Amino acid sequence: MITLYGIPNCDTVKKARTWLADQQQDFTFHDFKKQGLDAATVAHWLRHLDWEVLVNKKGTTWRGLPDERKAAVLDAASATALMLEFPSVIKRPVLQTAAACHVGFKPEHYQQIFTN
C-alpha cells in the first residue's frame, strides 16, 4: 500500500502524483488539509524520519509563526504538536510505502524506491 500525503495545489506534490501515475504505481492520495492528520500517522512517520526532516523551516507557514512558537519546537513531541496544528508546515510530499517513509520528490529518488 502506497500513500502520498500532501496538499493538491503544491507543485512538488503535483510532480510526485504525476510521476507515480506515469509509472503506473497504485497509490492513495491523502490531502491532509481536507482529510486531516492524526497523531498516529505522524508517529509512524517519526519511526522512519527525523522530525527535523518533516518540519519545513523554509516554507511560508514556518516563517509566519511567531518566534517564540518556532523556538518551542525542540523535539519530536513539540514538532508533532506543531504538525498536527499546522499541517502546512510539513515538508511535502510524504510518501509512505510498506517499507519506509520518504519526504520530498525527486524523480531519481522515486525511481530508486520503486526499483528496489
Side-chain angles (χ1 to χ4, degrees):
M1 178 82 169
I2 300 167
T3 304
L4 188 73
Y5 292 86
I7 54 177
N9 62 338
C10 171
D11 288 340
T12 308
V13 171
K14 288 178 189 176
K15 290 174 187 175
R17 291 175 76 179
T18 299
W19 189 94
L20 290 166
D22 288 349
Q23 303 301 312
Q24 299 177 344
Q25 293 291 332
D26 188 24
F27 71 98
T28 301
F29 177 68
H30 183 98
D31 179 346
F32 50 59
K33 274 197 167 180
K34 288 185 181 173
Q35 295 172 274
L37 189 62
D38 60 32
T41 300
V42 175
H44 177 78
W45 295 346
L46 289 171
R47 285 193 291 276
H48 298 273
L49 300 163
D50 189 274
W51 68 267
E52 292 181 284
V53 172
L54 284 166
V55 175
N56 182 6
K57 293 185 177 181
K58 295 179 182 176
T60 57
T61 301
W62 176 264
R63 290 192 312 260
L65 293 172
D67 289 341
E68 55 275 2
R69 185 65 195 269
K70 293 178 196 175
V73 180
L74 301 170
D75 56 18
S78 55
T80 297
L82 180 71
M83 289 184 276
L84 292 172
E85 185 177 351
F86 300 103
S88 295
V89 79
I90 299 168
K91 184 172 169 83
R92 301 177 295 268
V94 176
L95 176 71
Q96 183 175 311
T97 66
C101 295
H102 310 271
V103 176
F105 172 73
K106 291 187 177 167
E108 58 275 10
H109 182 219
Y110 272 38
Q111 190 66 43
Q112 285 180 328
I113 294 166
F114 292 102
T115 56
N116 292 336

